[in-house]
Amino acid sequence: MIQVGIVGASGYSGAELMRLLSARSDVAIAKVIAGGSAGKRVDEVYPALSGVIDLTFEAFKAEVLDGLDVAFVALPSGEGMNVVPQLVDGVDRVIDLGGDFRLRDEDLYEKFYGRKHTASRLLGEAVYGLPELNNEQIASAHLVANPGCYPTSAILPLLPLLKKGLILSKGIVINSLSGVSGAGRAASVEMSFAEVSENIRAYKVTKHQHIPEIQSVLEHATGERIGLSFVPHLVPLTRGIYTTIHADLAASSTEQELLAAYDSFYGDAPFIRLRKSIPEIKDVAYTNFCDIAFTIEHRTNQIIIISTIDNLVKGAAGQAIQNMNIMLGLPETTGLIGKELQHV
Amino acid sequence: MIQVGIVGASGYSGAELMRLLSARSDVAIAKVIAGGSAGKRVDEVYPALSGVIDLTFEAFKAEVLDGLDVAFVALPSGEGMNVVPQLVDGVDRVIDLGGDFRLRDEDLYEKFYGRKHTASRLLGEAVYGLPELNNEQIASAHLVANPGCYPTSAILPLLPLLKKGLILSKGIVINSLSGVSGAGRAASVEMSFAEVSENIRAYKVTKHQHIPEIQSVLEHATGERIGLSFVPHLVPLTRGIYTTIHADLAASSTEQELLAAYDSFYGDAPFIRLRKSIPEIKDVAYTNFCDIAFTIEHRTNQIIIISTIDNLVKGAAGQAIQNMNIMLGLPETTGLIGKELQHV
Amino acid sequence: MIQVGIVGASGYSGAELMRLLSARSDVAIAKVIAGGSAGKRVDEVYPALSGVIDLTFEAFKAEVLDGLDVAFVALPSGEGMNVVPQLVDGVDRVIDLGGDFRLRDEDLYEKFYGRKHTASRLLGEAVYGLPELNNEQIASAHLVANPGCYPTSAILPLLPLLKKGLILSKGIVINSLSGVSGAGRAASVEMSFAEVSENIRAYKVTKHQHIPEIQSVLEHATGERIGLSFVPHLVPLTRGIYTTIHADLAASSTEQELLAAYDSFYGDAPFIRLRKSIPEIKDVAYTNFCDIAFTIEHRTNQIIIISTIDNLVKGAAGQAIQNMNIMLGLPETTGLIGKELQHV
Amino acid sequence: MIQVGIVGASGYSGAELMRLLSARSDVAIAKVIAGGSAGKRVDEVYPALSGVIDLTFEAFKAEVLDGLDVAFVALPSGEGMNVVPQLVDGVDRVIDLGGDFRLRDEDLYEKFYGRKHTASRLLGEAVYGLPELNNEQIASAHLVANPGCYPTSAILPLLPLLKKGLILSKGIVINSLSGVSGAGRAASVEMSFAEVSENIRAYKVTKHQHIPEIQSVLEHATGERIGLSFVPHLVPLTRGIYTTIHADLAASSTEQELLAAYDSFYGDAPFIRLRKSIPEIKDVAYTNFCDIAFTIEHRTNQIIIISTIDNLVKGAAGQAIQNMNIMLGLPETTGLIGKELQHV
């Protein structure tokens, strides 16, 4: 039985981890840590888990998690870097779902997150947990930095085309639409139903902390300097990210080459579906799939790529479990439904 | 020019007052008071009013409103009773949109609101501002207690039938569904989009403070003891209240008598529409109408009555303006669209 | 391997059956029948099932399903009675999710469904598939009539109290709020987003076909004449039913007796959760649970009971699978998450 | 009294025209034409207008509208070109809200609309009804082609910058998010609540008929060839369009020049608000405003411009009324709230 602990278990990503892991017969959720809810039963905060999980939230102490096989840290960015250093010695494998260990450059971290990094010694050790890119490193990692939701939805569709040189590395425009659960479970007027319903707003234009994450992962993977713009939007939706990307095609790119690039990268990837029709959020909601489709616009010589994920699953908890599976040598799809067919 | 002030102008009811009053050429919004937003421009908090209202929120001081023709107090219940006593001397007419002056019995207030009443001397003076019931008293009132949103939607359909003895006065069951704006503009996890969307919850079952309001207004109007149950529900909606009422028919009641009762009460009421088809929220959204329809269920000898209002208009700001019009001797519909036709 | 077929597989209940059954390793979906989509691949109509189900919809012919272990019929009411008689000879077990075999009285059927019953010879044979009521008869049934969504949400909370005589059998008021998926997957202006969002409407007041279903099941179970009123409402929600019930308490009923009644009926029922806090739709969404809670209103001597289900799971596909499990002698919760704990 | 008729009055744009015009004391709605609803009272189809409009829909005959001052044609594209030619002789001023008279090039029309133009003789006569661009021509026009909703939201923010040469004319990327009312009032599974809620989908990628409208209006206004890509998305929203634009800055452009360009173009335009904070749909819902804000992204040397409108008001009925006001020599804002202040 795999013994796991979840730090920050009372937030949306933590709850999604509980939901997904509680259905597995090979995993025991041993500890659920949540400062603000310490002392409350899980089913008091999440009645959906009544009769499903019989645990009580505890306050964080590193030793509580000692000896566990896996610790998931599902805290807001800025809090993970306080907790992770206390866990890395006592716990076999640590998966951080926050943003603190995704950038290797602590200056970039300070610039976009607006605070100093207090555990920079671990930045070099952390493996960026995008399984479709870093499967092998994840398998042997001790600390995994689970990717951001927007970066997952942006990197996956761009990676094969940039690696193969089929699109230009400058002038990429990424527009993403996100459900509100991406902002976490917190009290705010801005996230209230009355403000979000029948409304849309872009936010953190030119300043979102996922900009350097997308850019640095793509630059590291391709060895090239990448020029991109990313604008996130909040729409009246609870779950899901919808990403629309414009990129200039390299002179010679053909539809066959573009398809072949995706095939060669993702042919064996159980959670990437290359779609012929336009993806929709509802096709991936509550799943770990990332659906991708593209259209060539001959008039502008651009490619328009659309990708969709469930931000709480492939964008957070599902991907974290996929990483856990890989770290433990289990089939990647264990406890997550994967595809059996190709070219759907 | 009618000079008005709004205390609590930054909440949803206050903003609705600003929206409705700013369109009038006979009204000048002289002062907007909002403690938490004092010093901010109105269009900073409500960009919708950019270019429409050129005012800055101020902190509350009674003397700031001295000499105004009308003051609207749109504060949460419990705060109004601190402010209203300071206004009644300096302002000609005061309309309180909160719950503090609706019950005449201060024990009942304490029981359902959970606090002592600190301005009980004004309870006898305040007129319950339901124009379809108390038009004359409102015309000469100095202080009007604007009705609650649920009570407006429940009292209007019941009043004519109870007064005429067409339904029994015991065993009335009222179920109401409300949009979230009824809860005001405040930060809370419970009211966040992720918790409200794709969800429903009843709340304050048997304990809601509008139970004694509905009951006492009906008892005062009929001179009879009324037995009723009221259950409010929160649904994924921003504006609107949908109220479904079950009542036992008196032995002899006929459909003609029921129709006649509504006709004789509301024939001249510009904002009551007796509908033949089943009312819907969208028919009254952004209007001051209360739509009412009923069905006789012969199997159970009950009447099922449905009423709908916009909780921010007929359930708050619109009704307050209707009261202001009456208090000032203006046509009741000024600045509010009324019906010109009957029996629609 | 259990071989199953789904007739009417392209509707919402059919799709939910596909979703739930495709995750099981002991079940093979052998045939998916859908007249309007015949010839189309499943993942063309439901891209969410891309890579998950590799099947093509076929037109209905009884012989196509011959020899299957289980056939689910997920057709609109009125169509099931044409199909079921053709299946009962060739298929081991038939579970009809529509309304055609739920009422034993064909006159009642004609009155509420507005058409003559064309397969009334099977009415006596069909077992009403509410496992918490009819577990043994379901185990040996050849044809199961899966309960309606509203009846499931109304019968489960009322049954123990009526059987024990703790509430009066007359004057019961049931108000239900439903998501739009209950109306099936069909083109209509009324169900369009622009008409449903920010709107509420009651419908079929006094006339809904689930009225006689609720009433006759309760009367059959208790041997008493039951008097009830039921009003369904459509709210801006995709999945879920929220049912609020008012009933008069019998003179002597105590809270302990009410609790004990639920305990003795549902103590072993894996999908009934007796809740202390007020149930919400989101606690049961995507699950087969029915959550129930009650409050005694001493002022009116009534009990107010609230129940919630996911209309597509416990109200349709999940309950059908629960029935299949019972019919096949499998644990009732197979492929459906059940509770392990009591009194949550 | 201005006598107006509305052809296609039962659709969403037609209903919005009725809503806005019924509030005016200087306008009489003389005729409401709606083929599918002919013979029905307006308040039967739109109970919201009960007691407000006392008219019955009629079938279309050109002579019915003879002698009116203004005819609005709010029909789907493809139907307007059948009706408009029959109206231009008998009616003083015709405003077509559909797409049939917006493109001057009938080949382009055929390519993007998928049908031959049957009234191409009027293409030269029709004035493109964007008041902020063509005020003078509109004033003397006999036939106005009211702009599309997406083009309104895209052209207004781009126009000043392109005219002043502050952005490059190639490589413009426009992403728009629209509410469902933009698709009109029609029965379809795709537009049903269950398919739209908690979902997003792009559509008509590279093929939308508004692409040539945006492009040709901008090219005509600037005299330059414009290269742009436009991707529309459907989001769970009833009203509103949110447009995010990326464009490359010309070498020397400064923030001051960008601001000055907007000022000089829109300083006197009562419905354009240049916003400092990020626009949101709710700020313009139910109004005729177009809110615009921009951010310079120095990293990519791009400008990111965001604009918002209510697609049924500034994107349809409101703009049509604005055009009517101009054609009749009335103040542009009559019956529509305009801004009184600048730089909000």
Side-chain angles (χ1 to χ4, degrees):
Chain A
M1 201 66 135
I2 305 156
Q3 301 290 326
V4 312
I6 303 169
V7 184
S10 69
Y12 288 132
S13 293
E16 194 72 5
L17 282 167
M18 291 194 290
R19 185 179 76 85
L20 290 167
L21 291 171
S22 66
R24 286 179 66 157
S25 53
D26 61 339
V27 171
I29 303 176
K31 293 287 174 187
V32 285
I33 310 296
S37 300
K40 287 190 187 164
R41 288 179 50 79
V42 167
D43 54 18
E44 200 178 334
V45 179
Y46 286 101
L49 296 172
S50 294
V52 177
I53 291 185
D54 184 17
L55 286 170
T56 295
F57 290 117
E58 299 177 50
F60 178 72
K61 278 188 218 168
E63 50 271 34
V64 169
L65 298 153
D66 263 10
L68 292 183
D69 298 304
V70 182
F72 295 96
V73 179
L75 293 169
S77 298
E79 297 183 25
M81 63 187 173
N82 298 327
V83 161
V84 167
Q86 301 181 56
L87 294 177
V88 286
D89 292 333
V91 178
D92 277 3
R93 295 163 192 86
V94 177
I95 301 170
D96 180 33
L97 284 77
D100 288 350
F101 298 95
R102 296 183 198 145
L103 300 177
R104 298 181 181 199
D105 177 341
E106 61 179 297
D107 293 338
L108 213 50
Y109 181 88
E110 187 174 344
K111 179 175 170 197
F112 277 89
Y113 284 84
R115 67 177 79 87
K116 282 220 167 295
H117 205 292
T118 60
S120 54
R121 67 167 175 95
L122 290 172
L123 290 179
E125 186 185 336
V127 171
Y128 189 73
L130 190 67
E132 291 77 11
L133 174 64
N134 290 333
N135 205 303
E136 281 178 38
Q137 297 99 302
I138 293 164
S140 59
H142 178 46
L143 170 59
V144 159
N146 212 55
C149 48
Y150 289 124
T152 297
S153 80
I155 295 167
L156 287 173
L158 282 169
L159 196 59
L161 309 190
L162 283 169
K163 292 269 278 189
K164 294 278 185 186
L166 297 169
I167 55 174
L168 302 192
S169 57
K170 296 283 155 55
I172 298 168
V173 171
I174 305 167
N175 276 276
S176 287
L177 318 178
S178 175
V180 296
S181 61
R185 188 168 186 266
S188 81
V189 170
E190 280 191 350
M191 290 298 169
S192 70
F193 185 89
E195 300 291 318
V196 172
S197 180
E198 289 294 313
N199 198 16
I200 298 172
R201 60 171 173 269
Y203 64 103
K204 290 192 185 177
V205 178
T206 77
K207 293 169 196 157
H208 197 282
Q209 67 276 13
H210 287 171
I211 294 172
E213 182 177 338
I214 299 169
Q215 189 162 353
S216 62
V217 171
L218 290 174
E219 290 183 347
H220 188 259
T222 60
E224 272 189 281
R225 190 100 183 90
I226 305 289
L228 59 84
S229 182
F230 165 70
V231 179
H233 302 72
L234 187 75
V235 296
L237 184 82
T238 295
R239 278 171 178 258
I241 286 182
Y242 202 92
T243 293
T244 301
I245 302 172
H246 282 77
D248 291 318
L249 286 170
S252 60
S253 303
T254 66
E255 183 161 6
Q256 284 65 30
E257 287 174 314
L258 295 161
L259 278 168
Y262 282 115
D263 262 2
S264 72
F265 266 74
Y266 298 137
D268 298 327
F271 295 114
I272 309 288
R273 298 190 295 199
L274 191 62
R275 297 273 309 274
K276 284 171 195 150
S277 55
I278 294 176
E280 307 188 17
I281 293 282
K282 70 181 167 58
D283 300 337
V284 299
Y286 293 92
T287 80
N288 201 49
F289 286 118
C290 174
D291 282 6
I292 298 171
F294 69 85
T295 307
I296 296 176
E297 185 167 52
H298 296 289
R299 203 169 38 76
T300 58
N301 200 36
Q302 287 190 315
I303 186 172
I304 299 165
I305 322 174
I306 288 167
S307 77
T308 53
I309 59 168
D310 182 321
N311 60 306
L312 292 179
V313 187
K314 184 63 177 168
Q319 187 145 267
I321 293 173
Q322 189 182 355
N323 280 319
M324 178 189 82
N325 290 339
I326 296 169
M327 293 165 96
L328 295 171
L330 300 171
E332 203 170 341
T333 57
T334 309
L336 305 162
I337 298 168
K339 74 181 174 195
E340 297 155 3
L341 311 168
Q342 302 300 326
H343 285 287
V344 287
Chain B
M1 202 65 133
I2 305 156
Q3 300 291 324
V4 311
I6 302 169
V7 184
S10 69
Y12 287 133
S13 293
E16 194 72 7
L17 282 167
M18 292 194 290
R19 185 179 75 84
L20 290 166
L21 292 171
S22 66
R24 286 178 66 158
S25 53
D26 61 340
V27 172
I29 303 176
K31 293 287 174 186
V32 285
I33 310 295
S37 299
K40 286 190 187 165
R41 287 180 50 79
V42 167
D43 55 17
E44 199 178 333
V45 180
Y46 285 101
L49 296 172
S50 293
V52 177
I53 290 185
D54 183 17
L55 287 170
T56 295
F57 291 117
E58 300 177 50
F60 177 73
K61 276 188 217 166
E63 51 271 33
V64 169
L65 298 153
D66 263 10
L68 292 183
D69 298 305
V70 183
F72 295 95
V73 180
L75 292 168
S77 298
E79 297 184 26
M81 61 188 175
N82 298 327
V83 161
V84 167
Q86 302 181 57
L87 294 177
V88 286
D89 292 332
V91 178
D92 276 3
R93 294 163 193 86
V94 177
I95 300 171
D96 180 33
L97 284 77
D100 288 351
F101 298 95
R102 295 182 199 146
L103 301 178
R104 300 182 180 197
D105 176 342
E106 61 179 299
D107 293 338
L108 211 53
Y109 182 87
E110 186 172 345
K111 181 176 168 196
F112 277 89
Y113 283 83
R115 68 177 78 87
K116 281 220 169 292
H117 204 293
T118 60
S120 53
R121 67 169 174 93
L122 290 172
L123 290 180
E125 186 186 335
V127 171
Y128 190 74
L130 191 65
E132 291 77 11
L133 175 63
N134 291 332
N135 205 303
E136 282 178 35
Q137 296 98 304
I138 294 164
S140 58
H142 177 48
L143 170 58
V144 159
N146 212 54
C149 48
Y150 289 125
T152 297
S153 80
I155 294 168
L156 287 172
L158 282 169
L159 196 59
L161 309 190
L162 283 169
K163 292 268 278 188
K164 295 277 186 185
L166 296 169
I167 55 173
L168 303 191
S169 56
K170 296 285 155 54
I172 298 168
V173 171
I174 306 167
N175 277 276
S176 287
L177 318 178
S178 176
V180 297
S181 61
R185 189 168 187 265
S188 82
V189 170
E190 282 190 349
M191 290 299 168
S192 70
F193 186 89
E195 300 292 317
V196 172
S197 180
E198 289 293 311
N199 198 16
I200 298 172
R201 60 171 174 269
Y203 65 102
K204 292 194 185 176
V205 178
T206 79
K207 291 170 198 157
H208 198 281
Q209 67 275 13
H210 287 170
I211 295 171
E213 182 177 339
I214 300 169
Q215 190 162 351
S216 63
V217 171
L218 289 174
E219 290 184 347
H220 189 260
T222 61
E224 271 189 283
R225 190 102 184 88
I226 305 290
L228 61 82
S229 182
F230 166 70
V231 179
H233 300 74
L234 188 75
V235 297
L237 184 82
T238 294
R239 276 170 180 258
I241 286 184
Y242 202 92
T243 292
T244 302
I245 302 172
H246 282 78
D248 292 318
L249 286 170
S252 58
S253 303
T254 65
E255 183 162 5
Q256 284 66 28
E257 287 174 315
L258 296 160
L259 279 168
Y262 283 115
D263 262 2
S264 70
F265 266 74
Y266 298 137
D268 297 327
F271 296 114
I272 309 288
R273 296 190 296 197
L274 190 62
R275 296 273 309 274
K276 284 170 193 149
S277 57
I278 295 176
E280 307 187 19
I281 294 284
K282 70 181 167 58
D283 299 338
V284 299
Y286 294 91
T287 80
N288 201 49
F289 286 118
C290 175
D291 282 5
I292 300 172
F294 68 85
T295 308
I296 295 176
E297 185 166 53
H298 295 290
R299 204 170 37 76
T300 58
N301 200 37
Q302 287 190 316
I303 186 172
I304 299 165
I305 323 174
I306 288 168
S307 77
T308 53
I309 58 168
D310 182 320
N311 60 305
L312 291 180
V313 188
K314 183 63 178 171
Q319 186 144 267
I321 292 172
Q322 188 181 356
N323 280 319
M324 178 190 81
N325 290 339
I326 295 169
M327 293 165 95
L328 294 171
L330 300 171
E332 203 169 343
T333 56
T334 309
L336 303 163
I337 298 168
K339 75 182 174 195
E340 297 155 2
L341 310 169
Q342 302 301 326
H343 285 287
V344 287
Chain C
M1 201 65 134
I2 305 158
Q3 300 291 324
V4 311
I6 302 169
V7 183
S10 69
Y12 287 132
S13 294
E16 194 71 6
L17 282 167
M18 292 194 291
R19 183 178 78 85
L20 290 166
L21 292 171
S22 66
R24 286 178 67 158
S25 53
D26 61 339
V27 171
I29 303 176
K31 294 287 174 186
V32 286
I33 309 295
S37 299
K40 286 189 187 163
R41 286 179 52 80
V42 167
D43 55 17
E44 200 178 333
V45 179
Y46 286 101
L49 296 172
S50 295
V52 177
I53 290 186
D54 184 16
L55 287 170
T56 296
F57 290 118
E58 300 177 49
F60 177 72
K61 276 188 215 168
E63 51 272 32
V64 169
L65 299 152
D66 264 9
L68 292 182
D69 298 305
V70 181
F72 295 96
V73 179
L75 293 168
S77 298
E79 296 183 25
M81 64 186 172
N82 297 328
V83 160
V84 168
Q86 301 181 57
L87 293 177
V88 286
D89 291 334
V91 178
D92 276 4
R93 294 163 193 85
V94 176
I95 300 171
D96 180 34
L97 283 78
D100 289 350
F101 298 96
R102 295 182 199 146
L103 301 177
R104 298 182 182 198
D105 177 340
E106 62 180 299
D107 292 339
L108 213 51
Y109 181 88
E110 187 173 344
K111 181 177 167 195
F112 277 89
Y113 283 84
R115 68 176 80 87
K116 281 219 167 297
H117 205 295
T118 60
S120 54
R121 68 171 175 91
L122 290 172
L123 290 179
E125 186 185 334
V127 171
Y128 190 73
L130 191 66
E132 290 77 11
L133 174 64
N134 291 330
N135 205 303
E136 282 178 37
Q137 296 100 302
I138 293 164
S140 59
H142 177 47
L143 169 60
V144 159
N146 212 56
C149 48
Y150 289 124
T152 296
S153 81
I155 294 167
L156 287 172
L158 282 169
L159 197 59
L161 308 191
L162 283 169
K163 292 268 280 187
K164 294 278 187 186
L166 296 169
I167 55 173
L168 303 192
S169 55
K170 296 285 153 55
I172 298 167
V173 171
I174 305 166
N175 277 276
S176 287
L177 317 178
S178 175
V180 296
S181 61
R185 189 168 186 264
S188 82
V189 170
E190 281 190 350
M191 289 300 166
S192 69
F193 185 89
E195 301 291 317
V196 172
S197 180
E198 288 295 311
N199 197 17
I200 298 173
R201 60 171 174 270
Y203 65 102
K204 291 192 185 177
V205 178
T206 78
K207 292 171 197 156
H208 197 281
Q209 67 275 12
H210 286 171
I211 294 172
E213 183 177 337
I214 299 169
Q215 189 161 353
S216 62
V217 171
L218 289 175
E219 291 184 347
H220 189 260
T222 61
E224 272 190 281
R225 190 102 183 87
I226 306 289
L228 61 82
S229 183
F230 166 70
V231 179
H233 303 71
L234 187 76
V235 298
L237 183 83
T238 294
R239 276 170 179 257
I241 286 182
Y242 202 90
T243 293
T244 301
I245 302 173
H246 282 77
D248 292 317
L249 286 170
S252 59
S253 303
T254 66
E255 183 160 7
Q256 286 64 29
E257 287 175 314
L258 295 162
L259 279 168
Y262 283 115
D263 262 2
S264 71
F265 266 74
Y266 299 136
D268 298 328
F271 296 114
I272 310 288
R273 297 191 295 199
L274 191 61
R275 297 273 308 274
K276 283 169 195 153
S277 57
I278 295 177
E280 306 188 18
I281 292 283
K282 69 180 168 57
D283 300 337
V284 298
Y286 293 91
T287 81
N288 201 47
F289 286 119
C290 175
D291 281 6
I292 299 172
F294 68 86
T295 307
I296 295 176
E297 186 168 50
H298 296 289
R299 203 168 38 75
T300 58
N301 200 36
Q302 287 190 315
I303 186 171
I304 299 165
I305 323 172
I306 289 168
S307 76
T308 53
I309 59 169
D310 182 321
N311 60 305
L312 292 180
V313 188
K314 184 62 177 170
Q319 185 145 267
I321 292 172
Q322 189 182 355
N323 280 318
M324 179 189 81
N325 290 340
I326 296 169
M327 293 166 95
L328 295 171
L330 300 171
E332 204 169 341
T333 55
T334 310
L336 304 163
I337 297 168
K339 73 178 175 197
E340 295 155 3
L341 312 169
Q342 301 301 325
H343 284 287
V344 287
Chain D
M1 200 67 133
I2 305 158
Q3 301 289 325
V4 311
I6 303 168
V7 183
S10 69
Y12 287 132
S13 293
E16 194 72 5
L17 283 167
M18 292 194 291
R19 184 178 78 83
L20 290 167
L21 292 172
S22 66
R24 286 178 66 158
S25 53
D26 61 338
V27 171
I29 303 177
K31 294 287 174 185
V32 284
I33 309 295
S37 299
K40 286 190 186 164
R41 287 179 52 79
V42 166
D43 56 16
E44 200 177 333
V45 179
Y46 285 101
L49 296 172
S50 294
V52 177
I53 291 186
D54 184 17
L55 286 170
T56 295
F57 290 118
E58 300 177 49
F60 177 72
K61 276 189 219 169
E63 50 272 34
V64 168
L65 299 154
D66 264 10
L68 292 182
D69 298 305
V70 182
F72 295 96
V73 180
L75 293 169
S77 299
E79 297 183 27
M81 64 187 172
N82 298 326
V83 160
V84 167
Q86 301 181 57
L87 294 177
V88 286
D89 292 333
V91 178
D92 276 5
R93 294 162 193 86
V94 177
I95 300 171
D96 180 33
L97 284 79
D100 289 350
F101 297 95
R102 295 182 199 146
L103 301 177
R104 299 182 181 198
D105 177 341
E106 61 179 297
D107 293 338
L108 212 51
Y109 181 88
E110 186 172 346
K111 181 176 169 195
F112 277 89
Y113 283 83
R115 68 177 80 87
K116 280 218 168 296
H117 205 294
T118 60
S120 53
R121 67 170 175 93
L122 291 172
L123 290 178
E125 185 185 337
V127 171
Y128 190 73
L130 191 66
E132 291 77 13
L133 174 64
N134 290 331
N135 205 303
E136 281 178 39
Q137 297 98 305
I138 293 165
S140 58
H142 177 48
L143 169 60
V144 159
N146 211 55
C149 48
Y150 289 124
T152 297
S153 80
I155 294 167
L156 287 172
L158 282 169
L159 197 58
L161 309 190
L162 283 169
K163 293 268 280 187
K164 295 276 186 187
L166 296 169
I167 55 173
L168 303 192
S169 55
K170 295 284 153 56
I172 298 168
V173 171
I174 306 167
N175 276 276
S176 287
L177 317 178
S178 174
V180 296
S181 61
R185 190 169 185 263
S188 81
V189 169
E190 281 190 349
M191 289 300 167
S192 70
F193 185 88
E195 300 291 317
V196 172
S197 180
E198 290 294 313
N199 198 18
I200 298 172
R201 60 170 173 271
Y203 64 102
K204 291 193 186 177
V205 178
T206 77
K207 293 171 195 155
H208 198 282
Q209 67 275 10
H210 287 169
I211 295 172
E213 182 177 337
I214 300 169
Q215 189 161 353
S216 61
V217 171
L218 289 174
E219 291 184 346
H220 188 260
T222 61
E224 272 189 282
R225 189 100 183 91
I226 306 289
L228 61 83
S229 183
F230 166 70
V231 179
H233 301 72
L234 187 75
V235 298
L237 183 82
T238 295
R239 276 169 180 260
I241 286 182
Y242 202 91
T243 293
T244 302
I245 302 173
H246 282 77
D248 292 318
L249 286 170
S252 59
S253 303
T254 66
E255 183 161 4
Q256 285 65 30
E257 287 174 314
L258 295 161
L259 278 168
Y262 282 115
D263 263 2
S264 71
F265 266 74
Y266 298 136
D268 297 327
F271 295 114
I272 309 288
R273 296 190 296 198
L274 191 62
R275 295 274 309 273
K276 282 168 196 153
S277 56
I278 295 176
E280 307 188 18
I281 292 282
K282 70 181 167 58
D283 300 338
V284 298
Y286 293 92
T287 81
N288 201 50
F289 286 118
C290 175
D291 281 7
I292 299 171
F294 68 86
T295 307
I296 295 176
E297 187 168 51
H298 296 288
R299 204 169 37 78
T300 58
N301 200 36
Q302 287 190 315
I303 185 171
I304 299 165
I305 323 173
I306 288 168
S307 76
T308 52
I309 59 167
D310 182 321
N311 60 305
L312 292 180
V313 188
K314 183 64 176 168
Q319 186 144 267
I321 292 172
Q322 189 181 356
N323 281 318
M324 179 190 81
N325 290 340
I326 296 169
M327 293 166 94
L328 294 171
L330 300 171
E332 204 169 342
T333 57
T334 310
L336 303 163
I337 299 167
K339 74 179 174 195
E340 297 156 3
L341 312 168
Q342 302 301 326
H343 284 288
V344 286

